[in-house]
Amino acid sequence: MKVLLLGSGGREHALAWKIAQSQLLTTLFIAPGNAGTRQHGTNIDLNPEDFEAVGTFVLENKIQLVVVGPEKPLVGGIVDYFQAHPALESVEIIGPSKAGAMLEGSKDFAKAFMLRHNIPTASYQTFCTGESEKGKMFLKTLSPPYVLKADGLAAGKGVIITSNLGEAQNILTEMLDREMFGDAGKKVVIEEFLDGIELSVFVLTDGKNYLILPEAKDYKRVGEGNTGPNTGGMGSVSPVPFANPELMGKIEERIIKPTISGLFEEGIDYKGFIFFGLINVGGNPLVIEYNCRMGDPESEAVIPRIKTDLLKLFQAIKKQRLNEHQIELNPNYSASVFLVSGGYPDSYEKGKAITGLENQGESILFHAGTDFRGNTVLTSGGRVMAITSMDETLAGALKKSYRLAEKIDFEKKYYRKDIGNDLMV
Ligand code: AMP
Ligand code: GLY
């Protein structure tokens, strides 16, 4: 099978690493990829958001399967673009239609969908441009902290939580009337604050059937003890000890099943990953957000635990026969620690030579912000690479990743030293 994978982060390196192990693979292209993905296929200088260029490449290279890593092309309608072009129609594409991607592309759509299908989530109201006075009054009726969410994609920055009513009201006005988040903030969801522990759960679906992938916990804040600004993710672990069979059973019954059947009943074409951002409040799981793709940095811990051939599952998706497959998992713990550029998520320097990569041993290195010059791998982003290790215990997996985190080096390297600590009992 000739495969094109779209994206360039750690998630895509993890997907490329896994797809490259498939018996069904003949050729793998990654567009645009990074210095890590080229170990598993050919990087192609293509913008995943330029659908016409992607379509042309697919036709010229007789690609049979396209796997879409990031949300932007999905929310932009790449699946619909393929379906609307007769020459591309027969190419399988892993990812939801534009309507399905609305689960991530519009918080208001996602909330209304959950309400329609009785899926547990925080109570909310949505306000549009011109309704800031109404929204401010609504905020007054709530107790702090206040949670404000820009409706559209805002690169992970669209959620604001504050305990100060005045600040919440000002931010609402900034979003609705002064375009603080551009078009993404022209609608704002104000919702109830939920106090609990977060968990990321993933499924692969053919629109009718689904397989549950390993769950994970990610560490979003830059500083130890979950302090400092949010990042794209500083590390992740899988499995999550508190995600016991009882909790996972509730998640499947109350959240996964009604989501899949809701999409089906509404005639929404969805063939791909669904990421459930959940919060466990006193033993009851609620949805914080949906994403229409795999998580990053969760993929870097989750994908190495999947033993099943991903391309076989993708083939079954096309035939809508995922029900005939099971997913085989490695029961061991997987711990992924991100090395980032000092200063990230604010300003940081790029182009630093990375040394010590030869010490990899049995750990896996998933590149995110890397580039290369000759044989030298260079930093090219804030989140540079994830170090994933596996072991029978979480402590053992973490120890392996941290040992390597010391050996791999670049100027101003930084990493959190407390990934997974909260889960060790
Ligand atoms: P999101 O972009 O929707 O994932 O939100 C970013 C982060 O904000 C989440 O990972 C949570 O930590 C937090 N968050 C979002 N909604 C809520 C809520 N209703 N209650 C508490 N925390 C929330
Ligand atoms: N780990 C959060 C995300 O992928 O959006």
Side-chain angles (χ1 to χ4, degrees):
M1 202 191 292
K2 289 181 101 175
V3 180
L4 170 65
L5 168 64
L6 300 180
S8 63
R11 166 183 52 216
E12 285 74 24
H13 188 181
L15 285 166
W17 172 87
K18 179 69 185 160
I19 291 168
Q21 295 170 35
S22 170
Q23 290 172 351
L24 298 174
L25 183 74
T26 49
T27 318
L28 175 61
F29 295 101
I30 308 98
N34 60 38
T37 59
R38 71 194 170 118
Q39 299 161 20
H40 312 293
T42 308
N43 285 354
I44 302 295
D45 189 15
L46 252 187
N47 175 1
E49 286 158 56
D50 183 345
F51 301 163
E52 218 176 295
V54 173
T56 304
F57 181 85
V58 163
L59 292 177
E60 282 175 357
N61 292 278
K62 300 191 169 57
I63 301 291
Q64 294 152 294
L65 172 73
V66 179
V67 181
V68 187
E71 63 278 12
K72 267 195 164 173
L74 293 167
V75 172
I78 192 166
V79 171
D80 306 63
Y81 178 87
F82 269 59
Q83 285 167 353
H85 287 72
L88 293 168
E89 213 186 354
S90 64
V91 177
E92 183 181 5
I93 178 159
I94 296 296
S97 62
K98 190 170 180 165
M102 290 270 282
L103 284 182
E104 174 164 5
S106 165
K107 304 263 188 209
D108 179 51
F109 174 87
K111 296 296 286 190
F113 177 87
M114 287 186 265
L115 208 61
R116 283 199 293 280
H117 299 287
N118 213 4
I119 296 166
T121 187
S123 59
Y124 79 106
Q125 276 200 32
T126 302
F127 298 91
C128 304
T129 301
E131 296 182 334
S132 54
E133 285 312 313
K134 225 167 101 188
K136 284 188 193 165
M137 300 271 279
F138 178 64
L139 280 167
K140 259 190 173 170
T141 67
L142 303 177
S143 41
Y146 308 96
V147 182
L148 284 81
K149 299 184 170 183
D151 179 58
L153 291 185
K157 296 191 169 69
V159 176
I160 286 155
I161 301 178
T162 172
S163 291
N164 183 316
L165 177 63
E167 191 187 359
Q169 291 178 322
N170 284 342
I171 288 168
L172 181 69
T173 311
E174 289 291 322
M175 288 211 239
L176 289 179
D177 302 335
R178 298 203 196 102
E179 303 195 5
M180 182 180 179
F181 290 110
D183 281 346
K186 284 185 169 169
K187 256 190 199 176
V188 176
V189 168
I190 299 179
E191 70 177 31
E192 170 201 8
F193 179 84
L194 300 172
D195 196 7
I197 311 178
E198 287 179 61
L199 173 69
S200 305
V201 171
F202 307 93
V203 304
L204 186 59
T205 181
D206 59 15
K208 210 160 98 184
N209 312 289
Y210 62 87
L211 291 172
I212 302 179
L213 309 181
E215 78 286 355
K217 188 162 194 297
D218 79 341
Y219 293 80
K220 288 194 176 111
R221 303 291 195 96
V222 74
E224 279 151 27
N226 298 324
T227 54
N230 256 326
T231 70
M234 298 296 291
S236 59
V237 303
S238 175
V240 178
F242 68 81
N244 54 31
E246 191 193 346
L247 183 66
M248 289 306 286
K250 288 180 187 170
I251 292 170
E252 183 167 11
E253 289 306 317
R254 298 178 190 175
I255 293 169
I256 296 175
K257 281 188 182 166
T259 299
I260 304 289
S261 60
L263 289 167
F264 187 77
E265 283 160 24
E266 294 190 22
I268 295 175
D269 178 25
Y270 205 118
K271 292 185 168 64
F273 296 100
I274 309 180
F275 168 161
F276 299 83
L278 306 178
I279 189 158
N280 176 19
V281 181
N284 290 315
L286 291 98
V287 179
I288 291 257
E289 64 164 353
Y290 285 114
N291 293 310
C292 62
R293 50 168 174 90
M294 279 301 289
D296 196 342
E298 290 95 331
S299 294
E300 291 90 315
V302 163
I303 290 174
R305 290 194 54 223
I306 301 174
K307 285 188 179 170
T308 315
D309 185 331
L310 263 192
L311 293 189
K312 272 194 191 146
L313 297 180
F314 291 161
Q315 264 186 338
I317 285 183
K318 185 167 186 177
K319 299 186 207 125
Q320 231 173 24
R321 287 202 184 147
L322 215 44
N323 53 320
E324 293 172 7
H325 292 258
Q326 280 180 340
I327 186 151
E328 204 192 333
L329 302 181
N330 182 330
N332 283 350
Y333 280 90
S334 175
S336 191
V337 174
F338 243 103
L339 304 182
V340 307
S341 303
Y344 172 79
D346 299 325
S347 62
Y348 54 84
E349 292 164 33
K350 298 181 189 177
K352 307 292 180 194
I354 306 174
T355 58
L357 295 170
E358 68 284 359
N359 296 307
Q360 178 173 354
E362 62 179 68
S363 298
I364 317 167
L365 298 175
F366 291 127
H367 293 225
T370 64
D371 207 346
F372 56 93
R373 194 172 46 218
N375 285 331
T376 309
V377 181
L378 303 171
T379 66
S380 70
R383 294 198 311 146
V384 175
M385 64 172 65
I387 302 173
T388 299
S389 311
M390 305 198 42
D391 195 82
E392 283 169 20
T393 65
L394 178 55
L398 285 162
K399 200 167 160 191
K400 288 179 191 170
S401 286
Y402 278 125
R403 208 181 298 144
L404 187 52
E406 275 175 36
K407 290 184 182 156
I408 295 178
D409 209 13
F410 51 87
E411 208 182 306
K412 298 195 180 150
K413 168 187 77 175
Y414 169 76
Y415 56 96
R416 265 181 73 165
K417 298 189 179 57
D418 67 341
I419 302 298
N421 279 4
D422 56 328
L423 299 177
M424 273 183 291
V425 276

